[in-house]
Amino acid sequence: MILSVVKVLGHAFFVMAVGLLFMGVGRRFSARFHRRYGPPVWQSYIDVIKCFSRKSISHHWIMDMGSVMGLAGLVAASMFLPVGRYLPFQSTGPIIVILYLMPIGYLGMAMGVSASGNPLASIGIGRALTLMLGYEVPFATIVLCMIAAFNSTSLVSLGQAQQAGFLSWNIITMPFGFVAGIIALQAMLAEKPFDTMIAPSEIASGPMVELSGKFLGLAFLQHSVGIFVETGLIVTLFLGGGPGVGFFILKQFLVYMLSLAINAIFARYRVEQATKFLWFTAGGLAFIQLVINMYLRSGTI
Amino acid sequence: MNYIILFLILPLFSAFLAPVCSIVRGRFGKYLNIVVYAAGAAGGIYFFTVSGFNAYSVIIGGWKPPYGINLYLGPAAFGFGILIYFIAFLIHIYDLQNNRPAYYHMLFALFVFASLGMTMTGDLFNLFIFIEIGTIALLGLSASVSPGSGTRGALKYFVPAALVSMIMLAGIALLYSSLGTLNIAHIARSSELNGSLAFLLGIGMLGIFFFEAELFPFNTWVPDLYKGAPSSIAAGVAGIGGIAGVVSFGRVFLTMMAGSDTFRFARSRLTAVVFIIAAASIVIGELAALKEEDFKKVLAFSSVSHMGIVVLTFSIGGSVALTAGLFILLNHSVVKPLMLMTAGFYIKTSGKARWREMRGIARRYPLTGALFVVGALSLMGMPLFAGFWGKMILLKSLFSGQGSLSAAGQQTFPLIGAAVILFSVILEGTYFMRIGHVFFEAPPSEDIPGRSRRLKISLSTAAPALILALVVVFFGLRPGLIEGYLSRAAADLINTADYINNVLVTLSAAGGAL
Amino acid sequence: MMKLCPGILNTGMFGAVVFPYAVGIFSLIILKRWKRLQWAFFFLSTLFQLFAAYSLFRSGNFGSGISQKFPFALSPIPGLGQSALFFQFTGLGFIFFAGSTIVTLIISIFSLAFNDRDHATGVAPLWTILMGANAGIFFAGDWLSFLISWEVMGWTSFLIIAHGREDSRKAALYYYILSLIGSSAMLAGIFIGVSGSGSMAIADSVRYFSGLWGTRNSLVVLSTLFFTVAFFAKSAVFPFYMWPSLAHAEAPDDFSSFLSGVMIKYGVFGLIAVVLPIYRAGYVGPAVHGVPLYLAVLGWFGVITAVLGTLYAIKQDDMKKLMAYSTVSNIGLIIAALSMNSSLGIAAALFHTFNHMVFKGGIFLSLASVKYRTGEREMHKLGGMAYRMPLSFFTFLICIIAAAGIPPMSGFASKWMIYQALFEKKMLIMAIPAFFASTGSFLYLYRGLHTIYLGQLSNRFAKIKEAPAPMAFAMLIMMFTVMLGGFFPGLVLSPVNSIFTGMGFAHISQDLFSIQGVTTSIRLTSIGTIFMGSFFIVGFLYLIGKKREHVEQLDTYTSGEMPEEWGLTEEKYHYGMHFYEPLEVTIEPFLKGTSMDSLFRRIGYETGKLSGTVKRWFNTPQLGTLVLLIVVVLLVVVLGR
């Protein structure tokens, strides 16, 4: 019993730590795109500690509750993600549970910043939710592709189905799905061209406008855990998902770098453009993949 | 002496006595009428139970049928005759408050007498006479209160009435020259007529019944009469006139034409005509009521539609459908007077004729408003009220594939009929619920109807409506009580052989019962 | 005890149906002056029904067809062939009855306080009668009982929704016309079945239709189509999905809770009890992945409804209309699940039905308490209610978490099961709109939360209080029930499972804590525990941070500007209007193209024009006489041959 609590705690902190590391390396990586040097790779750890040690303001206790709930949701989601076949407790790693726990992150953050009363934050949340509706369509279709091919929504079994070497990875067998997944991932991570919810120069960084001190720290952590979970999903679904923790983190890192590379070059979509692109282009690709899977791969109609 | 003839004659006493005695005392007429109708209803019930529910054939003037006139008092005539008396009784109680001229009571008594006669008579020409008496009485009655719209209604009634009565007279004359008799039973037993002749005769004679039963296209008079005549007269037309028209129609069409061999070659065509006209009436009636603004006209159109439903059952055939039709007739004859009484009261207190302008009136008079809603729900066929059972039995018989009397429409007529009826329920629900609710809505505050004439509703106005509503609810909860009688009445109308036997052979041989 | 059981069964059903009728009529006639007392009687009547439900539950015997008679005639009516009304005790009916009674009881506690002098609506007697009809529908054994209850439910609900106001009447009439169309269609279907099977018992008609497969397919499909039209109209499925936004919104606030929670489920019950069994054993005809084609089409109608409901909800500014569309959307998902006609599908549908009853009821109660205190219904005029009415806020929050299908609340488990039901039958393309609708629900639910409860609190409402105690108590119970259903799905699923033997289905594998699906299984309790645990971890992090300082509501970041200079007030600063404007612009063409509302209004308008034409015929005597003559001549000529 104590062991499982320790495992859960350790998993949570591990995820946060790795996420922050990704963020740090990522900042250096983006800087090189822009021909800068960039901050050191451990900068994100320093930022978080700094945030937690600073004074903060809050408009209402709902704001506190919301921020806590936001991160809690994402941490809970991360508990179900098999990290290279390692899970903090017995579970099958159900995708749909993860898919539905992640919006708690949105809900909590949204609730918190709504309670702050700043309309800029609410505009940002409105856009974020619209974008969520956008990327859910291709992502859900990808999940359906997995069901059509393997008849399972368990990440553990999906990871195991791709253990037969490089060629069994879904990136090879389901290329359209992979492209759709990468596009969806871009939106999930709120990186350009889909970062209209943050939109720094437009709505003063949107939801985070009123966050300071530990609230900003929690938001940072939320972003980091989000990176971990979302890239982890793509890795498990398309890149084989294992074996071992080290390879898993390496693959996640590659995916994240790809995402940052796209982020560095693109401009920002407006929210309705983004939604349409996600529905029709990414969703369309995923749909093609679904049809292929339904009729060609599993053999049954 | 044949006491049973009193069942028919009683109103005549009142008709003669009322104008005479009103010279002495002005209000004598209405009290006399009330007593007479109550006596008539009571007497009817007594005779009915005493007779053991068999039929009477009463010979008039000592000449046996088919040479003389006879009255046929079967379950149909008795039951509906009692109902006529009952409704007339209640209408007069409702009318107690109004000061009507003496000739009003005389004419009303004549109207009741004529209606009773129509249901009971066994002779075609006698039937024609009764119809004429009723027409004339109605003309006077409808124009008695409001000269403008009442006269309009009366005229619109009179002109087509004259036309169709002439046609009927011509038909009777032709029939007499072909068959040599005018007694219904004897006609039913006669030899077959030529197809086209039978068809023409049938149309000619049925025309006036379509007119009486408010069916399309003979019903231009209905909305204007309902609107122009005082509400008690409209109630009389709806309740009493409707019963008389339908029962006599049943006698002529079902017993004489459909059940006998005489009209055999025209039977299917005649049935088709009846069906088409009835179905058209249902649709037209509901459609017209949908957007009607005048309160009494809405009720008029609803009557058209319900009469259409009742007559539709006649063309479907089979005792089950006919029982349903009679149930619906019973429901309508009880409910429509109820609603017209409510309408009359509301019109009098608010001074307005359009229902939209009476918004909120039921907040002041919630009892009448509720009674109106009860009536509307029963007409729509909603459960807990009598109309529901009629609708159920009817639909069951329509779908059970009992073919119609017409060979051509064996399968399709019931289905078309069902579709039309189901369609009519939708429309009826729409407008009745709308009106019923408007009465309960909160009015704009400056404009509460009834404020100008704060009439307190008196017992005599409310009690009849309440009694009728209770009847509706009672039969809604216990339909079995009345259903037996209705099936017997239906059998009475359909069973031609028994009718012929009773009139020409059995009872007349014994000189009539009693 | 066993000897008492049939007695209890019979009295239980009989009492559950008849007692509310009696109390309602008594309340209507005798208690006209004491309106508060009418609500107390309503509460007592519902309490009695709950007691009846409990005693029925204790007697066990789910799935048995024990019947109880209520004689309405002394001998069988020849036209109808029966002399009494039969009730039957099925597990399915019992579950619906128990669920609806529990929810209504909670609402009735709320209504006791809600209907004070300022807000009274006077609909208590009619609502009591409606509860009798409610029980009658679920316990009906023969078509007459079913029809009686169905129609009584129709007209009482019309009168309640309209409750004496003109706008409400128009909304109620729209609903009632659709309801009448449904009833008429249903009558056709019923009497086809009655004439075919020769009896008025519901089970016999179902058996008759099932036996016709292979010989008269078109007749069966036509009849089930009639039934489907009726049930779709009552449950607001496409194309009849526009009426809740009018009716639920205009109804009295506590009755909206009942409408959205209980009444809209009657169609679902009808489909499961009447239509689905016909397509079960012995089906011969086209099928998709083993699902009969008719049902597959039904499922598509369901997901289309779900999507349309979601999209319309996103557009709304009025909180009650928004929630009404949300109900439509959820019903669409339920229909999609049950059209799979499998044990997993029906279990998912029933589970989601019950969950929806509770969380939608809670949402409407919370909205009603806000409206009770503020008098406002448009969302952008509110704001910051959570700061003054925290209990209403929490109820709303918990219920929308359930509504969005987020773990650990009950909505997630049932939505997950709905997906599993679709996956089981390989209806993957159908699942895409389902996912879309489910995610979209998050958008409008959040909008409701933000615009009403969060953001800026207007000065007008700076002093309002929390809802009165009975209302608060009712909301608490709803909240608690939602949480209970989420953590322990077995509480609802075990009774559902136990009725499956009676219906001829296999059981689904579940226990108190987890559900086994087709692609995987989930353990709800552990999800809930994990979430709680994460909450504590993050809470710990929160606590080790430096203490935070409280600032005023209007004291926000404004890029160095001084908005007070422009006359800033709380209302102006609250972001409520056009929350999702970019999205609305994107979906507008789609909604315009599929709007059923304009079609129905067009039909209504044309019928009105037709009515005017017909009336004119009556008014002009010349025209009338001319037509008369023409018709007579035509008849004579045509038929005279």
Side-chain angles (χ1 to χ4, degrees), chain C residues 573-586:
Chain C
Y573 209 40
H574 181 57
Y575 179 53
M577 285 286 274
H578 300 302
F579 205 80
Y580 293 113
E581 192 164 11
L583 189 60
E584 288 175 31
V585 167
T586 317

Side-chain angles (χ1 to χ4, degrees), chain B residues 7 16 70 86 115 125 155 180 188 198 307 312 337 363 376 412 440 493:
Chain B
F7 188 58
F16 287 128
N70 72 309
F86 182 63
S115 308
F125 192 69
L155 272 176
M307 286 297 157
L312 187 84
R363 288 187 174 229
T412 56
F440 281 99
L493 286 176

